[in-house]
Amino acid sequence: MNRFEGENTQGRNNDVKDSGMGFLVGFLFLAAIYIIAQVFSLLPN
């Protein structure tokens, strides 16, 4: 254990879950923007 981290530290097993959730949220956000843009491009002018 690193002596600079202190007593109450967060476990490292949450890092993989947090990075996966961040990637998924970012991907879904960009996908929603893309889908909205495609819907507006298909609308008649």
Side-chain angles (χ1 to χ4, degrees):
M1 178 176 166
N2 189 351
R3 64 185 172 128
F4 298 110
E5 286 182 352
E7 293 295 325
N8 298 323
T9 58
Q10 183 179 5
R12 297 195 190 280
N13 57 352
N14 291 333
D15 292 344
V16 175
K17 289 187 276 189
D18 288 342
S19 61
M21 282 299 290
F23 179 78
L24 187 64
V25 167
F27 178 77
L28 290 176
F29 179 71
L30 292 175
I33 292 175
Y34 177 77
I35 291 170
I36 291 171
Q38 290 299 318
V39 167
F40 276 106
S41 70
L42 290 175
L43 292 176
N45 290 334

